[in-house]
Structure formats: C-alpha cells, structure tokens
Amino acid sequence: KHRAAAVPANGLWPLAGERRGACRVEGGNTGSFDEVWQIGELACQRKCAASSTCVAIGFVYAGRMTRCELHNALIYSVLPTGQASCRIKPGLSPAGVRVDPLRRRGASLGAPAPPLPLPPPSPRPPPELPPPPPRPPLPPATP
C-alpha cells in the first residue's frame, strides 16, 4: 500500500517523462485504472492523492469530454501525445520512467507543467426559425 500524498502547494504534480503523454505500465500497456469523466485535472489529482491505491493519474481530452485515470499500477513509460498527461504521485519513485519511442531512461520529472487547456465550448444551437405563415382558408366545398 502507498501512503496518501498531499497536493503540492504549487498545484499539479510534474509530468512523468518531462512531456505530455499517456501513462504506460511495464510492457507498454495502459494498466489498471479507474475512470472518472468530466472533472478537471487538479480534481483528478486530488482523488489520487486521497486514495491509498492510486500511484499516478492520467488525464485525457477525448473530444469535448475529459477522462481522469486513477492508475493502480506503477508507471514505466509515457506514450507521447498532446491530448494526455501522466503525473506520478509524490513519494513514489519516478526512476526509470521513459518516453516512448525515444527510450530515454531515468528521465527526471522536472517542473510541473501547466494543466491541459479546457476543451472547446459546445457549439451553439442554430437560431430558431420563425413559424411558417398561416395557411389561407380552403374554399367551400361544391356539390
């Protein structure tokens, strides 16, 4: 079990591998994680900090949605992508985290990166069209 870590005063934890990307466990798989949709990156980090089993967070923009991944397995590498961030919980050793496919071993975590930008706003619905004009009355029926 891992002890819960406090959220650092400066905000987000550093990026694993010093760049944006998706968290990967040994063997390059996504590993075991719980998902929480439509919360911010800092809220995701707080959930991990409060969990005794969470070792890292992955935060992903999927279209207009956000997905928080609360990882339960140690992170070994980061798959570079601009739409994701991988952050290791403080107090857990990031030694050996590498950036695929560069294979940089022993990358330090460096300074925290800013949070990912917010997704674009939902498109506005088209303006309502005025109702059609009334129909003229029908002429009387002739026998």
Side-chain angles (χ1 to χ4, degrees):
K1 285 197 166 189
H2 302 282
R3 60 182 169 76
V7 175
N10 64 352
L12 293 169
W13 301 331
L15 287 170
E18 300 178 342
R19 65 185 333 182
R20 295 211 181 279
C23 298
R24 293 294 182 255
V25 298
E26 192 169 25
N29 300 334
T30 58
S32 171
F33 59 86
D34 296 319
E35 292 181 344
V36 181
W37 288 84
Q38 292 303 94
I39 66 170
E41 193 169 11
L42 191 56
C44 178
Q45 180 176 290
R46 287 182 184 127
K47 284 187 173 292
C48 183
S51 168
S52 62
T53 59
C54 181
V55 298
I57 66 165
F59 191 78
V60 181
Y61 279 109
R64 291 188 176 98
M65 306 288 285
T66 60
R67 182 179 73 219
C68 164
E69 300 171 350
L70 302 169
H71 286 268
N72 303 316
L74 292 176
I75 303 303
Y76 282 80
S77 65
V78 175
L79 180 66
T81 173
Q83 297 299 313
S85 59
C86 180
R87 300 176 189 275
I88 297 175
K89 190 179 210 177
L92 300 176
S93 173
V97 171
R98 66 177 191 267
V99 177
D100 289 335
L102 302 177
R103 306 288 183 197
R104 272 192 336 188
R105 295 195 182 274
S108 69
L109 292 181
L116 290 170
L118 293 175
S122 297
R124 293 182 184 175
E128 287 192 34
L129 297 174
R135 292 185 179 184
L138 294 174
T142 56

